[in-house]
Amino acid sequence: MAGPFIVALSAAATSAWLPLNDTVEQFNVGFGVRVNGTGDINYTVQHTFGDPGTVGVDFFDHSFASGRTASIDGNYSSPIKAIRLVVASVSGNAGARLNVLQAGKTR
């Protein structure tokens, strides 16, 4: 099991990959992004199926958590290797915090 993980960004940036255990039985990952502060923020939650330590690894935007401007929560029920937060733009004093928690039985 991986997590809980928390990453926070308050400027346009990309967080480090948060590695998950993709070999557990009944893979489940819950995540929430909390927007805080004053101003506007635009962010996306991304995942990868490849080794996040590999240069040029393919990444994909979460279908619900792409181009968001408010707090949300979501999940993954199919295995992924890692998750990260990408903040595209920030104005004022806004920030975003990604919380990730994985459940599943270790094989």
Side-chain angles (χ1 to χ4, degrees):
M1 227 165 2
F5 294 115
I6 300 174
V7 296
L9 296 174
S10 57
T14 300
S15 76
W17 285 109
L18 304 175
L20 301 169
N21 183 349
D22 64 333
T23 64
V24 297
E25 293 180 27
Q26 300 175 344
F27 182 94
N28 289 291
V29 172
F31 69 87
V33 179
R34 171 67 64 195
V35 171
N36 51 47
T38 58
D40 297 314
I41 191 164
N42 183 291
Y43 68 88
T44 296
V45 174
Q46 293 181 332
H47 61 274
T48 184
F49 298 102
D51 178 357
T54 303
V55 174
V57 67
D58 290 329
F59 58 86
F60 302 89
D61 295 348
H62 186 278
S63 60
F64 176 71
S66 178
R68 304 303 286 206
T69 58
S71 298
I72 61 159
D73 65 343
N75 64 70
Y76 289 94
S77 58
S78 297
I80 59 172
K81 289 273 192 187
I83 185 174
R84 70 182 179 184
L85 177 64
V86 178
V87 173
S89 62
V90 177
S91 68
N93 224 6
R97 186 176 63 239
L98 171 64
N99 297 273
V100 180
L101 182 62
Q102 180 176 12
K105 182 179 176 185
T106 304
R107 294 181 189 189

